[in-house]
């Protein structure tokens, strides 16, 4: 069992992430984890949870959250890890081995690293420490001052580790890598003078005097505009040091590159983001052989083109394609654009993403990478190391140079693509944590992720732009049938075509399966298939075509649910018209209101129900039929309701 504070607050076990519920409950856990093995007074929890005056029933609310946390941890097997959440009068104690907390492991690794005395040993230690971060600390907690202060303190520790890693690389003569490490932190913290000073020195020592001086003048302007102050001693000292060295003709020190591990993948000629300086694009013509080698992975091979073939008879989705264009071609922020295409099973997320990728492939001349993360497929999800190995090989990395650890492979991947115009398509993701190691960092790279989950974590920590995909309307659905069957066959019976769209819930996967049935039966009119699909006992079977179909797609979604949420979905299938609120859902499931609300939120996040308005949920007909069918199968196997 692992507890995460360095990013979204989470608890993970060998079987996945535990459901922690709303923000206040996560905040209670976070506060206990920030003071592990220490009694935390109830009054302190109340003061931290409410930014304004707490309500009269605050004590009851906190006690309820602690009770639910205790039950959740117990269900996750906390006892086996020596974890216990106990009450001591009007205080609480979370007893656990501190090494289970990522913030504790981070601190130990940073303490072990000695960047000046043993830089070669410090580099892997600090990289491992920084690799524990999955986004801004304490994401998902309330926004009260105590939590803001705690998050700020953790971020300060992260920046200190970043600066230490840069010093370790500098001590090894790897000034290019030191600059690259400091660059991202400097972009995100443009007024942190010590950080900018370290970046200036690294750039100067890498032979980039003009870029180093440009950072000084940029920061000086920002300090004046934002704070009305001049540069402090550290920033001014770095500036004067560089000018003095130039006047004396000392010039930058030479760069010595290591050849082991993942550190040799960055160009030594100025092709890095750090070398480009803020707002500048490195020249593409006249590049040195070293730079050219970096652009094609050092192999001289053509840029990788890993996209699957364009989707057959792709229609519509103009609004979503335009949203992707807006999200993935915006380079004004200086960040690597990221979009998440999310929607229910069978709605055509992959087709939309791949269609956009083919339409815009020319904008990414350095290659297009594609990977199926198998988040909602048969078997286990794809390990990050497996995907990264495929990416690195496609980029020309020799097999013997591919790191064995996923963390090192991720760092090498980001290094190789830092200055490329590259598109990465990550299909069928289960969670934000699965995606993060695969994200490129270069400002001219773009990434599109598809998932049945909303992946709110990527939106929160990586500024992902969500692009939702909904079911097709009557006109779009009929057009898809016409593209599959021929417009004349659909025009013969437009009323039946509309009914087929309704019976398929407007899902392209179901409509394509229906079209496959009609293609195999050329004498059938559309009305005949519509009549067959009205039989709810046969509908899911008819909407399948060999190895694909809506039932198989839904099965993969339901397989990822917890037992509680699967039972809740089965209960929702009893709804007469598919419309219900939390109270009705609680009555159908036999759950208490809070447990039901949490479950509905998770089902909505997975697009198995849709929250049309506040406390108004709908479940599609096909999902209802599947949930009923699954429940019947469990009954035939003798599975009890509580198994």
């Amino acid at each position: 069992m692992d507890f995460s504070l360095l990013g979204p607050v989470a608890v993970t076990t060998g079987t996945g992430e535990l459901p922690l519920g709303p923000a206040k409950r996560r905040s209670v856990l976070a506060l206990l984890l920030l003071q592990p093995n220490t009694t935390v007074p109830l009054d302190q929890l109340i003061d931290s949870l409410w930014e304004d005056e707490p309500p009269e029933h605050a004590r009851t609310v906190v006690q309820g959250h602690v009770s639910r946390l205790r039950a959740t941890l117990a269900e996750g097997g906390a006892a086996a890890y020596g974890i216990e959440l106990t009450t001591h009068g009007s205080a609480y104690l979370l007893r656990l081995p501190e090494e289970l907390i990522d913030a504790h492991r981070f601190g130990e690794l940073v303490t072990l690293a000695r960047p000046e005395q043993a830089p070669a040993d410090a580099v892997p230690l600090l990289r491992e420490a920084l690799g524990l971060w999955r986004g801004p600390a304490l994401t998902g907690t309330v926004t009260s001052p105590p939590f803001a202060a705690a998050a700020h303190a953790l971020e300060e520790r992260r920046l200190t580790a970043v600066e230490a890693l840069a010093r370790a690389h500098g001590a090894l003569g790897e000034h290019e890598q030191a600059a690259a490490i400091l660059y991202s932190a400097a972009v995100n913290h443009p007024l942190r003078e010590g950080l900018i000073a370290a970046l200036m020195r690294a750039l100067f020592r890498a032979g980039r005097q003009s870029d180093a001086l440009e950072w000084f003048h940029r920061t000086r302007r920002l300090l004046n505009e934002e704070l009305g102050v001049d540069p402090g001693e550290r920033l001014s000292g770095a500036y004067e040091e560089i000018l003095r060295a130039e006047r004396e003709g000392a010039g930058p020190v030479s760069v010595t590159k290591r050849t082991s591990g993942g550190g040799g993948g960055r160009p030594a000629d100025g092709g890095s983001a750090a070398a480009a300086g803020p707002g500048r694009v490195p020249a593409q013509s006249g590049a040195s052989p070293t730079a050219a080698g970096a652009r094609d992975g050092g192999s001289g091979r053509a840029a990788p083109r890993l996209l699957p073939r364009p989707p057959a008879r792709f229609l519509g989705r103009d609004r979503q394609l335009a949203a992707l264009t807006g999200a993935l071609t915006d380079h004004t922020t200086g960040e690597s654009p990221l979009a998440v295409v999310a929607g229910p099973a069978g709605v055509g997320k992959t087709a939309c993403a791949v269609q956009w990728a083919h339409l815009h492939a020319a904008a990414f001349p350095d290659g297009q990478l594609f990977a199926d993360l198998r988040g909602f497929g048969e078997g286990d999800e794809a390990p990050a190391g497996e995907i990264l190995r495929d990416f690195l090989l496609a980029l020309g990395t020799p097999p013997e140079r591919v790191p064995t650890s996923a963390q090192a492979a991720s760092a090498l991947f980001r290094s190789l693509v830092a200055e490329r115009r590259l598109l990465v398509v990550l299909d069928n993701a289960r969670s934000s944590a699965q995606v993060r190691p695969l994200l490129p960092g270069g400002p001219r790279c773009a990434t599109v992720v598809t998932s049945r989950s909303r992946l709110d974590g990527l939106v929160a920590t990586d500024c992902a732009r969500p692009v939702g995909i909904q079911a097709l309307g009557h006109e779009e659905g009929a057009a898809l049938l016409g593209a599959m069957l021929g417009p004349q066959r659909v025009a013969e019976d437009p009323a039946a075509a509309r009914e087929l769209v309704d019976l398929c819930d407007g899902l392209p996967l179901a409509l394509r399966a229906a079209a496959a049935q009609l293609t195999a039966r050329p004498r059938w009119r559309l009305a005949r298939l519509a009549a067959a699909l009205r039989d709810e006992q046969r509908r899911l079977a008819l909407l399948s075509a060999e190895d694909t179909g809506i039932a198989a797609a839904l099965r993969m979604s339901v397989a990822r649910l917890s037992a509680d949420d699967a039972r809740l979905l089965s209960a929702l299938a009893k709804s007469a018209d598919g419309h219900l609120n939390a109270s009705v859902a609680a009555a159908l499931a036999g759950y208490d209101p809070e447990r039901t609300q949490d479950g509905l939120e998770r089902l909505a996040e997975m697009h198995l129900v849709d929250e049309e308005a506040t406390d108004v949920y709908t479940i599609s007909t096909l999902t209802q039929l599947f949930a009923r069918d699954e429940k019947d199968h469990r009954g035939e196997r003798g599975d009890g309701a509580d198994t």
Side-chain angles (χ1 to χ4, degrees):
M1 183 173 284
D2 288 307
F3 295 85
S4 300
L5 297 175
L6 307 181
V9 174
V11 183
T12 54
T13 67
T15 58
E17 192 170 311
L18 297 183
L20 295 180
K24 280 191 170 57
R25 190 175 305 152
R26 291 175 183 269
S27 302
V28 170
L29 176 63
L31 200 56
L32 294 171
L33 289 171
L34 288 167
Q35 304 172 73
N37 301 309
T38 304
T39 53
V40 180
L42 178 58
D43 289 342
Q44 182 184 349
L45 287 166
I46 292 173
D47 291 342
S48 300
L49 289 179
W50 281 273
E51 188 168 356
D52 301 318
E53 187 70 21
E56 292 182 2
H57 61 288
R59 298 176 73 87
T60 304
V61 171
V62 174
Q63 289 165 354
H65 285 314
V66 171
S67 177
R68 288 296 301 155
L69 280 173
R70 187 181 289 122
T72 299
L73 293 174
E75 290 168 6
Y81 298 89
I83 300 167
E84 186 180 16
L85 176 52
T86 59
T87 303
H88 293 262
S90 59
Y92 298 101
L93 170 67
L94 181 57
R95 184 178 289 109
L96 78 167
E98 293 187 17
E99 59 269 18
L100 299 181
I101 307 172
D102 60 357
H104 177 81
R105 298 198 301 275
F106 170 81
E108 287 203 325
L109 288 166
V110 172
T111 300
L112 288 171
R114 295 178 298 153
E116 285 81 19
Q117 293 87 350
D121 296 330
V123 166
L125 288 170
L126 291 166
R127 285 196 176 278
E128 184 179 351
L130 291 167
L132 295 171
W133 285 75
R134 300 173 299 113
L138 305 181
T139 297
T141 59
V142 298
T143 57
S144 66
F147 280 99
H152 177 73
L154 288 169
E155 174 65 9
E156 286 293 312
R157 291 172 61 192
R158 187 188 72 83
L159 291 174
T160 299
V162 168
E163 293 171 348
L165 178 58
R167 291 199 306 275
H169 279 296
L172 294 168
E174 299 168 344
H175 305 297
E176 193 72 60
Q177 293 185 7
I181 289 162
L182 293 166
Y183 177 81
S184 295
V187 168
N188 292 321
H189 299 271
L191 298 179
R192 190 180 176 95
E193 294 187 53
L195 183 64
I196 308 300
L199 174 59
M200 288 171 57
R201 289 189 173 95
L203 288 170
F204 174 70
R205 290 164 184 162
R208 294 173 177 74
Q209 298 95 314
S210 60
D211 293 316
L213 297 175
E214 183 175 345
W215 267 102
F216 172 79
H217 293 299
R218 174 181 184 269
T219 307
R220 177 180 54 79
R221 288 193 300 271
L222 278 174
L223 288 168
N224 181 262
E225 293 167 3
E226 300 277 336
L227 304 177
V229 300
D230 293 326
E233 182 179 343
R234 285 182 294 178
L235 193 61
S236 298
Y239 178 65
E240 293 167 1
E241 180 182 316
I242 292 170
L243 291 180
R244 185 166 56 251
E246 285 191 318
R247 285 195 302 269
E248 294 172 357
V253 300
S254 61
V255 178
T256 303
K257 304 285 280 186
R258 283 190 301 172
T259 58
S260 61
R266 292 195 65 81
D269 71 302
S272 72
R280 295 174 57 191
V281 177
Q284 298 300 312
S285 59
S288 70
T290 307
R295 290 186 62 79
D296 65 11
S299 65
R301 67 167 65 186
R305 304 281 187 254
L306 302 189
L307 293 177
R309 59 182 298 216
R313 293 174 174 78
F314 183 89
L315 294 175
R317 302 301 192 194
D318 293 339
R319 185 173 62 83
Q320 287 81 9
L321 292 172
L324 282 173
T325 301
L328 297 173
T329 58
D330 179 10
H331 298 288
T332 60
T333 64
E335 299 169 346
S336 179
L338 170 63
V340 175
V341 179
V347 81
K349 303 177 291 295
T350 302
C352 183
V354 171
Q355 176 75 2
W356 187 91
H358 279 284
L359 290 173
H360 294 266
F364 302 97
D366 294 323
Q368 303 94 44
L369 302 177
F370 179 92
D372 178 4
L373 304 190
R374 305 197 299 269
F376 295 91
E378 297 283 357
D380 297 330
E381 61 188 49
E386 173 186 308
I387 301 298
L388 288 165
R389 178 176 177 80
D390 290 344
F391 282 179
L392 291 171
L393 292 175
L395 291 166
T397 305
E400 65 274 11
R401 293 291 305 280
V402 176
T404 55
S405 78
Q407 180 182 329
S410 179
L412 178 57
F413 171 61
R414 291 192 300 273
S415 176
L416 286 177
V417 304
E419 281 306 306
R420 302 192 192 199
R421 288 173 289 176
L422 187 81
L423 176 64
V424 181
V425 181
L426 302 173
D427 186 40
N428 198 14
R430 179 181 179 183
S431 66
S432 300
Q434 186 188 18
V435 170
R436 288 191 184 96
L438 310 176
L439 295 177
R444 293 185 296 163
C445 295
T447 308
V448 56
V449 182
T450 75
S451 179
R452 299 179 193 183
S453 171
R454 293 195 306 256
L455 301 186
D456 293 341
L458 285 183
V459 177
T461 63
D462 297 88
C463 296
R465 296 272 292 275
V467 177
I469 296 201
Q470 295 77 36
L472 300 175
H474 287 122
E475 290 187 6
E476 293 173 312
L480 178 58
L481 289 172
M484 299 287 292
L485 300 169
Q488 184 61 36
R489 196 170 178 187
V490 173
E492 290 173 356
D493 201 346
R498 289 176 63 88
E499 185 179 7
L500 281 175
V501 174
D502 287 335
L503 290 166
C504 293
D505 283 343
L507 294 174
L509 178 62
L511 286 165
R512 288 176 180 271
Q517 295 282 1
L518 290 165
T519 300
R521 300 167 177 83
R523 293 186 179 84
W524 276 29
R525 292 175 59 85
L526 270 63
R528 183 169 179 180
L529 179 60
L533 288 174
R534 288 185 206 120
D535 182 354
E536 293 185 346
Q537 301 298 319
R538 301 178 60 204
R539 190 179 306 173
L540 289 174
L542 288 170
L543 294 180
S544 297
E546 198 173 4
D547 62 344
T548 188
I550 196 65
L554 286 168
R555 186 171 295 110
M556 293 303 101
S557 288
V558 174
R560 301 303 191 193
L561 297 177
S562 67
D564 275 358
D565 289 349
R567 285 195 292 271
L568 176 60
L569 184 68
S570 294
L572 301 184
K574 303 173 188 174
S575 171
D577 61 356
H579 288 72
L580 65 166
N581 58 27
S583 298
V584 173
L588 289 171
Y591 290 172
D592 63 70
E594 185 179 13
R595 182 182 180 188
T596 303
Q597 187 65 56
D598 290 348
L600 286 170
E601 289 176 5
R602 289 190 293 271
L603 293 178
E605 184 180 353
M606 293 281 290
H607 293 94
L608 287 166
V609 300
D610 182 39
E611 188 176 11
E612 288 189 341
T614 302
D615 199 29
V616 178
Y617 296 88
T618 61
I619 178 171
S620 70
T621 303
L622 291 178
T623 303
Q624 281 186 291
L625 294 177
F626 177 81
R628 292 173 191 165
D629 189 51
E630 283 293 286
K631 183 178 180 183
D632 291 342
H633 286 323
R634 288 199 302 271
E636 292 169 6
R637 295 192 302 264
D639 297 345
D642 295 324
T643 57

